Amino acid sequence: MQPNRPLRPAAARRGLLALTLTAVLALVTACGGGSTDEPGGRDISSGDRRLNLVAYAVPKPGYDVLIPAFRDTPEGRGIGFSQSYGASGDQSRKVARGLPTDVVNFSVAPDVTRLVKAGVVDDDWESQAPNRSVPFGSVVAFVVREGNPKNIRTWADLLKPGITVVTPNPGSSGSAKWNLLAPYAAESAGGKDPEAGLAYVRKLVRDHVRVLPKSGREATSAFEQGQGDVLISYENEAIMLERHNDTARANQRVDYVVPAQTFKIENPVAIVNTSEDRSAAKSFVDYLFTPPAQRLWAESGFRPVLPEVAAATADLFPGRIDRLWTVDDLGGWDTVDKELFGKSGAITAIYDEEAGK
């Protein structure tokens, strides 16, 4: 692992805009997921074959680069794309209800499992592509105002008096689950002391979380508009925001910190078995794991899963991680979703308590 990188000096005072939650939600809805037929000015919709990609909101910048690159390959020539992006859980439910889809890419595996139960994704979906069908990943990071004026570096720092935190609603967002699993794992020693982990999550939600955007992308937009001192997010979202510093207004410039204890994010892809062009869908999914595509993922801020590409692009992901927790450390998604995020889950109960106040 590499040493923690120094934060760049602040170029201006941190400013917070006095926006109401209603205004923020209106803004993030306008700026969120969505789709486009011409990412970067390149047409991706034309072709004598067509694929419908339904994904969670965050990887859109990656697909804006990867889809045109795939269309330049012999396998992708003549394949047009329609895209839909949004909160992972919401997207999964739409596909389960019959939204025309060929390929899905969700934030968490349970959103694919929902489709297995609905009969539209095969039981063996994890074995249909390399790396358990996870083509890229990330880690949980803190996005802070430029210069890190509140000196946020550890999970304990988020509980300092007066610190406000932005993180999505785990009822709709897969990224919210990752964001909460990271401190839960760190504080509970990988689930060995669940009460300690839940006590941390309860304090965080009760005393520091003020807004609940539906998706990771909406949470990012809310933070950009001035909400909160800290955004808990995917590292790739943090990288994207920092890359925009040169053109951002002074009060929208950011730094980011990867805490020494954090969580490995794995975002699975699957082919929908009702696809009208399954061979095209498979060609696209296969392409996501190729070295050229893996490098494009890395350049877009997502951690590649091919070891050789990960090693070659390690300098794109600075920061020292002493302990990288995983879902498997906590017993796997079946256990985690039931015990923490299901209807009777412990973290669900914490959010229900706050909603009832």
Side-chain angles (χ1 to χ4, degrees), residues 5 33 35 63 97 106 154 163 168 196 211 290 298 340:
R5 61 184 187 128
S35 62
Y63 282 117
R97 291 194 296 265
F106 294 143
T154 69
I163 297 296
V211 295
T290 64
L340 298 179

Side-chain angles (χ1 to χ4, degrees), residues 65-97:
V65 177
L66 272 98
I67 289 175
F70 170 66
R71 282 166 52 86
D72 287 340
T73 68
E75 296 78 11
R77 194 162 294 123
I79 298 177
F81 280 77
S82 174
Q83 305 164 88
S84 171
Y85 298 97
S88 186
D90 291 348
Q91 294 289 82
S92 174
R93 283 182 279 271
K94 289 176 185 177
V95 176
R97 291 194 296 265

Side-chain angles (χ1 to χ4, degrees), residues 181-182 185-186 189-191 261-264 323-327 329-330:
L181 287 175
Q261 287 200 60
T262 189
F263 211 87
K264 183 179 182 181
R323 185 62 164 94
L324 184 62
W325 298 100
T326 71
V327 168
D329 291 329
L330 300 179

